[in-house]
Amino acid sequence: MSFVDRLLLQMTLEEKIGQLNLVSYGKVDTGTVRSVGVAKKIAAAQAGGLFGTHDPAEARAMQTIAVEQTRLGIPLLFGLDVIHGHKTIFPIPLALSCSWNLELIRKTARIAAIEATAEGVNWAFSPMVDIARDPRWGRVSEGAGEDTYLGSQVARAMVEGLQGDDLKRNDTMMACVKHLGLYGAVEAGREYNSVDMSPVRMLEDYLPPYKAALDAGAGSVMTAFNDINGVPATAHPEILNDLLRKRWSFDGLVVTDYTAINEMVEHGMGDLHDVSAVALNAGVDMDMVGEGFLETLQQSLDAGHISETQIDMACRRILLAKEKLGLFDDPYLYFSDERAKSRILTPEHRAFARETIAESCVLLKNDGNILPLDRSAKIALVGPLADDTLNMPGNWSIAADSDDCISIRQGMRNVAGPDARIAYARGSNITDDPRVIAAVNYRIERVVNDPRPAVDMIDEALRIAKDADVVVAVVGEAQEMSGECASRADIGIPEEQRDLLQALRKTGKPLVLVTISGRPLTLAWEHENADAILHMWFAGTEAGNGVADVLFGGANPSGKLTMTFPRHVGQVPIYYNHRRTGRPLSPGLEFEKFKSCYIDVPNTPQYPFGHGLSYTSFEYGPVELDKTSLNGERDVLHARATVTNTGAKTGKEIVQLYLTDPVASMTRPVKVLRGFEKIELAPGQSQQVGFTITVGDLKFYDLSGAEIWESGEFIVHIGASSVSTQSASVIWAKDASEERAVAAKSASGAA
Ligand code: NOJ
């Protein structure tokens, strides 16, 4: 009999139910309820884990209570939202995904784990893998954007980085993939709203990243707040039991989101007894903060609504997670004063954080190669985020200290040197809207407003602009304008900052924008009026240095968008791999009567998925395929294209492979990403980039939920973005006779 089974046999029912309770220290409360009497509950064996602290002394004290004051001495799990670094903060996850550099992402997660475990945390509520196509939803900042294929790869890299290859090491931690499921599809981008989705879309677009994280070994899963097709995700039998436990064979720990069980009462699913019982029955193991399990499971058992076997199963999975982390061998494994001193915010971690910025920021436009800046130019640096450290980390950076962050102003001075002529004026507040300020300053005051009248601030900015060769304006969102409960109906640059930009434009000076946000923004005016736009997202501890490296050309930007930037908020949801309509617009047109379009804006986005410029230029040769026709499941297709750096600087290019299935038994997306490679080329250098395509890449789900593929012609695209590709077509059939039939049809032009 295993250690955990023996332990279970010794446990009373109360002790088992106690393990299912996750308490919080309330420092990261993300709801109106807080855990109370935490130490007492731990002493009474009424908690299986604690989250919200990264204070090793505090955590150690709690672990001591669990180990020494309870009958069985079962150690606690220590959870925390370790999302994009711990003390050394990396760019937000959406930014990191724009690097398309999986090794880099893996390393950020690895460093996050090294630092967080040095402060006693052994369970990361990360990665968030929710596919998101609506930038009004503030939490798009926490994920990898809109694409399933890329999102799945990023999910895997994050889990590998956090968990390493041995969870028992004191510098690896258990990952928690979240939020199962489909949280990224909340209606109208409004936080905590409903999700209603077809099974095909779920299977094809939204579920694969969760699966990819689990295939990479993620030890735990967090349920989502939203309902799915009328049933809350936290008690969704089809998602939790049928899909997660049975189809995906997941035997790890399932924890709810913050008070998600209790919230089912508000969803209208019954009282606390009812909802706690259905959550357990659906496959939830651990209840975050709400204590519905603690308060009601005993009675539900007596009433026959749940069984003791279910409680045992949930408890067993929690104990197994502790065993996997090595906590039964040493409950204090993760506490080390020495590691806390020597492995946090090290020069190496900071240097790496700085490097990640050039790979994650996206050069959206750069007319006349105005960037990089000349170090000897007279620069007017303006904007409410130019001299800011409070907002640099980005949301979910619990352990960050903004004093450790480098502002853009400081970074530009560091990089350009003491002789640089950089004049600074704030120019405007981030926002003067009291409603928004109240919402975003909820926990920490990060929008700290200058009391001067707006016109005075603009005048001051204009004075230095008139005297400068170039204006660099750092504008965008405050940290908490994206993230949890930060949905925005207007996703543009706030009005006060837009007023500043409009005044600056009138000076006629070259205008470079550095834009900061946790979501795609609508930048139609900015695109028309600025000479260059460098979108830096929230770039973390080394923000200023990393961005200055790019601004002055010490580093060449190489990020490409993983989420479409709309022209207008009315276009959302907008994403590159939309399905084909029966009335598509003719290519090149913006409006046609009785075609799928708007009368007031084009269908196309401002900046498409996969877009991102460099200080050099790349040219793509034609797509070459090693076969024109294939048959059977085992055949593979090799596609390649030669990419040449035709500019004057060394640069990194993200080569993207997309497939189109022009004729099928279901409407298929116009294009789907099926591969990518990031390469680095010196000026004049060429490289052949090859991809192997298998039948798996052609598959899709039919109405019965079966994964199928069909004989036919397929188009292979290789290029620099979702709208800039070259293509070649191929026939791929189930067998030789279907191959002949498709070929004949295609020869007659009917395929
Ligand atoms: C609520 C968030 O939805 C979730 O992502 C997070 O992990 C928990 N709060 C804990 O902080």
Side-chain angles (χ1 to χ4, degrees):
M1 189 183 279
S2 72
F3 168 79
V4 162
D5 287 329
R6 275 202 313 274
L7 182 56
L8 257 177
L9 279 180
Q10 297 170 48
M11 293 174 77
T12 62
L13 182 69
E14 290 74 24
E15 283 166 338
K16 291 175 194 167
I17 293 175
Q19 283 299 307
L20 316 193
N21 192 34
L22 176 62
V23 287
S24 147
Y25 245 2
K27 288 180 190 153
V28 286
D29 56 308
T30 46
T32 46
V33 178
R34 287 180 193 181
S35 299
V36 289
V38 167
K40 270 201 194 136
K41 281 193 177 122
I42 295 172
Q46 289 183 329
L50 177 106
F51 83 99
T53 181
H54 58 93
D55 174 340
E58 200 170 61
R60 184 185 272 275
M62 294 299 148
Q63 191 71 310
T64 308
I65 296 177
V67 172
E68 290 179 12
Q69 295 182 26
T70 65
R71 189 178 73 94
L72 295 169
I74 299 174
L76 297 166
L77 291 168
F78 287 95
L80 194 73
D81 292 274
V82 180
I83 307 294
H84 51 113
H86 180 64
K87 278 267 167 58
T88 307
I89 301 295
F90 298 102
I92 54 167
L94 183 58
L96 288 174
S97 72
C98 291
S99 74
W100 302 56
N101 183 338
L102 300 174
E103 199 35 56
L104 174 144
I105 293 171
R106 192 176 293 115
K107 193 167 164 191
T108 64
R110 184 76 210 94
I111 290 175
I114 288 171
E115 294 195 352
T117 54
E119 293 197 325
V121 185
N122 48 37
W123 186 19
F125 298 148
S126 171
M128 186 193 103
V129 303
D130 304 318
I131 292 299
R133 294 167 168 181
D134 189 333
R136 291 173 296 184
W137 189 51
R139 301 197 77 170
V140 302
S141 58
E142 297 173 51
E146 72 188 41
D147 184 64
T148 312
Y149 177 85
L150 178 67
S152 301
Q153 311 268 340
V154 171
R156 189 170 305 129
M158 286 292 298
V159 172
E160 288 168 359
L162 291 167
Q163 297 197 161
D165 42 26
D166 179 5
L167 258 190
K168 285 200 162 119
R169 276 175 63 132
N170 66 2
D171 64 357
T172 55
M173 65 201 305
M174 183 167 69
C176 183
V177 53
K178 66 191 191 183
H179 308 81
L180 193 68
L182 323 181
Y183 185 16
V186 283
E187 270 177 12
R190 182 161 56 76
E191 185 63 299
Y192 314 129
N193 207 356
S194 278
V195 173
D196 204 309
M197 192 183 284
S198 77
V200 168
R201 174 165 284 188
M202 263 191 222
L203 290 166
E204 209 160 294
D205 297 351
Y206 280 77
L207 293 174
Y210 306 103
K211 175 73 164 49
L214 298 178
D215 289 346
S220 64
V221 169
M222 188 185 293
T223 66
F225 288 125
N226 52 281
D227 68 333
I228 301 173
N229 302 343
V231 179
T234 296
H236 208 297
E238 282 166 20
I239 298 286
L240 296 179
N241 245 328
D242 300 352
L243 181 79
L244 180 68
R245 296 295 191 199
K246 295 196 185 126
R247 202 155 150 186
W248 291 352
S249 313
F250 178 67
D251 58 5
L253 158 60
V254 175
V255 63
T256 69
D257 203 339
Y258 201 101
T259 61
I261 291 178
N262 314 55
E263 288 164 30
M264 283 195 274
V265 174
E266 205 57 50
H267 274 290
M269 308 302 291
D271 64 17
L272 191 60
H273 285 80
D274 302 328
V275 296
S276 304
V278 291
L280 186 79
N281 285 335
V284 166
D285 301 321
M286 203 170 206
D287 173 5
M288 189 191 286
V289 175
E291 306 204 336
F293 278 1
L294 196 65
E295 284 171 29
T296 69
L297 287 191
Q298 170 80 64
Q299 288 160 40
S300 293
L301 181 65
D302 297 342
H305 298 143
I306 57 167
S307 69
E308 187 156 358
T309 315
Q310 275 159 323
I311 297 179
D312 282 357
M313 274 162 39
C315 181
R316 194 166 183 279
R317 289 191 282 245
I318 292 164
L319 298 175
L320 281 172
K322 296 181 178 186
E323 190 186 40
K324 281 188 212 153
L325 283 165
L327 289 170
F328 289 114
D329 303 329
D330 177 3
Y332 304 101
L333 178 67
Y334 296 90
F335 304 116
S336 146
D337 295 342
E338 191 279 314
R339 288 200 312 124
K341 278 195 210 104
S342 65
R343 301 205 69 190
I344 289 180
L345 261 180
T346 61
E348 294 75 27
H349 292 179
R350 292 195 73 129
F352 182 64
R354 183 170 179 167
E355 267 175 50
T356 62
I357 294 170
E359 297 231 20
S360 314
C361 67
V362 184
L363 184 60
L364 295 174
K365 77 170 278 191
N366 191 18
D367 281 359
N369 291 332
I370 187 166
L371 285 178
L373 300 170
D374 179 351
R375 280 166 210 238
S376 62
K378 271 181 106 176
I379 298 169
L381 176 65
V382 299
L385 291 160
D387 195 23
D388 173 284
T389 50
L390 281 172
N391 293 284
M392 289 303 105
N395 64 76
W396 281 129
S397 42
I398 294 164
D401 183 342
S402 54
D403 288 346
D404 294 325
C405 292
I406 310 288
S407 71
I408 312 271
R409 186 181 183 192
Q410 180 63 47
M412 286 176 76
R413 256 194 250 123
N414 294 346
V415 170
D419 300 333
R421 292 176 298 166
I422 305 173
Y424 163 77
R426 181 178 166 97
S428 81
N429 288 323
I430 298 176
T431 173
D432 291 322
D433 183 339
R435 178 190 168 123
V436 176
I437 296 173
V440 304
N441 280 353
Y442 155 75
R443 192 175 280 131
I444 295 177
E445 195 181 359
R446 293 187 203 270
V447 175
V448 185
N449 275 354
D450 191 318
R452 286 178 293 165
V455 58
D456 291 0
M457 281 193 270
I458 292 182
D459 280 351
E460 186 189 26
L462 291 178
R463 275 196 299 278
I464 63 162
K466 283 178 188 144
D467 191 36
D469 301 322
V470 58
V471 178
V472 176
V474 187
V475 292
E477 296 187 326
Q479 173 161 315
E480 305 299 332
M481 282 171 77
S482 52
E484 186 171 348
C485 198
S487 294
R488 290 179 68 197
D490 176 351
I491 54 171
I493 301 279
E495 202 182 321
E496 300 71 14
Q497 301 183 62
R498 173 70 71 73
D499 291 345
L500 167 68
L501 297 180
Q502 281 169 346
L504 290 167
R505 173 73 294 180
K506 288 192 191 127
T507 64
K509 296 286 171 153
L511 180 60
V512 172
L513 302 189
V514 175
T515 43
I516 295 184
S517 73
R519 55 154 59 74
L521 298 171
T522 44
L523 294 173
W525 183 90
E526 291 75 8
H527 179 78
E528 282 304 308
N529 290 282
D531 297 280
I533 305 178
L534 177 67
H535 194 69
M536 68 171 266
W537 308 105
F538 289 98
T541 312
E542 286 288 322
N545 287 333
V547 168
D549 289 338
V550 174
L551 286 175
F552 289 110
N556 193 346
S558 65
K560 295 208 185 206
L561 295 179
T562 56
M563 234 188 133
T564 304
F565 274 44
R567 295 172 188 273
H568 189 284
V569 70
Q571 292 177 300
V572 302
I574 180 169
Y575 48 96
Y576 82 95
N577 56 348
H578 56 86
R579 286 175 191 269
R580 295 155 60 131
T581 142
R583 293 189 174 195
L585 263 185
S586 306
L589 292 188
E590 291 191 354
F591 178 78
E592 276 179 288
K593 197 69 188 164
F594 305 123
K595 291 292 176 74
S596 176
C597 56
Y598 302 96
I599 60 172
D600 50 356
V601 280
N603 286 358
T604 52
Q606 190 72 55
Y607 302 113
F609 177 86
H611 167 77
L613 305 173
S614 163
Y615 293 156
T616 191
S617 49
F618 298 98
E619 234 172 66
Y620 282 72
V623 175
E624 295 170 41
L625 303 177
D626 67 341
K627 296 171 189 150
T628 52
S629 185
L630 302 83
N631 71 60
E633 294 250 351
R634 263 182 263 142
D635 222 347
V636 292
L637 175 67
H638 294 107
R640 66 182 190 193
T642 300
V643 184
T644 306
N645 181 343
T646 51
K649 291 200 162 69
T650 295
K652 291 185 178 164
E653 170 67 343
I654 299 158
V655 183
Q656 301 159 42
L657 169 85
Y658 297 89
L659 295 184
T660 299
D661 183 353
V663 179
S665 58
M666 299 194 52
T667 55
R668 301 290 304 131
V670 288
K671 213 174 239 182
V672 285
L673 183 75
R674 283 291 179 261
F676 59 88
E677 196 177 328
K678 193 164 190 177
I679 57 169
E680 182 164 21
L681 296 177
Q685 193 185 353
S686 292
Q687 186 176 324
Q688 238 173 33
V689 180
F691 298 96
T692 302
I693 301 165
T694 68
V695 159
D697 296 315
L698 312 179
K699 288 191 171 164
F700 59 94
Y701 288 91
D702 69 10
L703 288 177
S704 75
E707 213 184 2
I708 60 164
W709 71 288
E710 293 167 346
S711 299
E713 194 175 347
F714 297 90
I715 304 172
V716 178
H717 315 261
I718 298 180
S721 82
S722 59
V723 300
S724 162
T725 53
Q726 311 218 22
S727 50
S729 78
V730 64
I731 288 168
W732 204 325
K734 300 243 161 159
D735 53 37
S737 84
E738 287 200 18
E739 191 179 350
R740 281 191 297 276
V742 176
K745 225 175 173 187
S746 127
S748 71

